[in-house]
Every structure is written in C-alpha cells, then in structure tokens.
Amino acid sequence: EEHLGVNMTVDVWVIANDAMNPDWDSMEGDLSLQVQLAYCLLASRNSSWNKYTSLRVVLVAVVREEDVLTTVSIAMEDCKDRLTHLLNEIRIEADIHVEVGRVKSQNSSGSNGPPPMLDTATLNSLIYNGTKEGVAMLFLQLPDCPVEGSTNDETVLYVRNLKALTSKLPPLALVKSARKRTMTTEL
C-alpha cells in the first residue's frame, strides 16, 4: 500500500483565454489563489500530500477549430510564458501542461468574428480526459454566480452548468477570488 499515490498530482486547471477569463494570469485573479491553495496542501513536509504528489498547472488554450498549427502553437507558447511569469512572481514551482480547447467559430468571418468560447461540456471532457489517472485533487475556477435578482431560470441554468462542469471529475475545490491581492512579491 505504500506505493499508492506515488506520482499523483494536485492539479490546477485554468482557461487561459483573455475573452473568457481576462484576468487569468493576474496576481488578484482566481488562478493565483487556486495555485496558493494547492501549494499549501502540498507544503507540509511531513504530509502524505508532500511525499506522494506534485503540483501541476494545466492551461486550456482556447483556439478556433480552423486555426492552423502555427496559430495554435503561438497561443500555447504565449499561455505558457504568461503562466511561467506568474509562477516565478509568486515563487511556486509547478509542472506546466497546456491543453488545447478547440471551438467552432460562431460565423464564417474567421478570426474577425467573436472570440472563441469554450462550452462547459467540452471543458469537462478536457478535464476528465486529462485527469483520468493520477490526480489526487483538482482546483477549478468557480464560474461567476448569478447576480442578485436573477431569474429562477438563470439560477437553474447556472446549477446545471456547474453540474456539467464537475461531473465525473476527481475530488475538487471550486475557487473564486475576491479580486484582491492575497500575497505580496515585495519581500
């Protein structure tokens, strides 16, 4: 039983897309808080978390279905560079992995059309396939909650989307920051 859990990861998943998640790599955003929480889980030197798991941050680079390989590669490298910068700033070591989320264009105007948006079912499928083996814990961004005064239909749709997002995934924590700085890099 001692070998169980070896090479498992604690995953932080983020949609690295400025249209869908504009502050994905900011110090005040959800990702920095997700990474901090995951790091705290692993930080205790005497814990099983520290001994048998490592931290992995998975970026979902959202691209259009028709984007050529060069465009996709540039998007992936840009996401990776921005994440590397954030992790260096907050002094947290993590393995970085980039997934590509391909979406259909809304119209035929190509790259001039609306920015690509990843639907909940596609994101769930990416996460499910990316965490099938060896993920002990998963940290995801909590989607924006319905505002006060929302209709019952809007609230029901939110709950359905939340269920679709989290269905069949490993144990997880949904994280939402208050858009305030939770750490300093000035020391």
Side-chain angles (χ1 to χ4, degrees):
E1 283 217 20
E2 188 131 358
H3 70 281
L4 290 179
V6 173
N7 298 326
M8 293 189 80
T9 61
V10 172
D11 274 13
V12 173
W13 280 66
V14 64
I15 298 174
N17 179 290
D18 292 330
M20 295 176 69
N21 190 12
D23 65 348
W24 74 265
D25 65 338
S26 80
M27 194 71 80
E28 296 82 18
D30 296 329
L31 174 62
S32 68
L33 183 58
Q34 287 170 256
V35 171
Q36 287 177 71
L37 292 171
Y39 178 78
C40 288
L41 190 64
L42 300 172
S44 174
R45 297 276 177 242
N46 298 323
S47 77
S48 293
W49 289 103
N50 181 276
K51 291 176 187 170
Y52 301 114
T53 59
S54 60
L55 181 58
R56 180 175 82 144
V57 180
V58 182
L59 298 166
V60 178
V62 181
V63 298
R64 289 179 173 82
E65 211 170 56
E66 68 274 9
D67 283 348
V68 295
L69 187 57
T70 307
T71 305
V72 174
S73 295
I74 290 169
M76 291 172 70
E77 280 305 311
D78 179 56
C79 292
K80 195 171 183 178
D81 290 347
R82 289 172 63 177
L83 176 61
T84 300
H85 176 74
L86 175 67
L87 292 174
N88 286 339
E89 283 287 302
I90 62 178
R91 299 183 195 115
I92 291 179
E93 285 186 31
D95 295 324
I96 298 173
H97 183 74
V98 182
E99 289 280 337
V100 174
R102 290 192 175 272
V103 296
K104 290 182 177 150
S105 290
Q106 303 298 321
N107 57 30
S108 59
S109 61
S111 60
N112 297 331
M117 302 295 268
L118 196 64
D119 65 276
T120 306
T122 303
L123 180 57
N124 172 270
S125 179
L126 275 172
I127 297 170
Y128 176 76
N129 290 324
T131 60
K132 274 185 182 173
E133 294 180 25
V135 175
M137 181 78 185
L138 175 61
F139 287 82
L140 291 177
Q141 178 183 22
L142 176 68
D144 289 332
C145 296
V147 295
E148 191 174 326
S150 294
T151 66
N152 191 46
D153 287 347
E154 291 168 327
T155 304
V156 168
L157 179 62
Y158 176 78
V159 172
R160 278 193 192 130
N161 283 334
L162 201 54
K163 185 174 181 177
L165 173 65
T166 59
S167 176
K168 300 183 215 160
L169 296 181
L172 61 93
L174 294 167
V175 177
K176 192 70 167 171
S177 79
R179 303 287 182 254
K180 304 275 188 220
R181 210 170 244 272
T182 57
M183 67 177 104
T184 182
T185 58
E186 307 301 318
L187 300 176

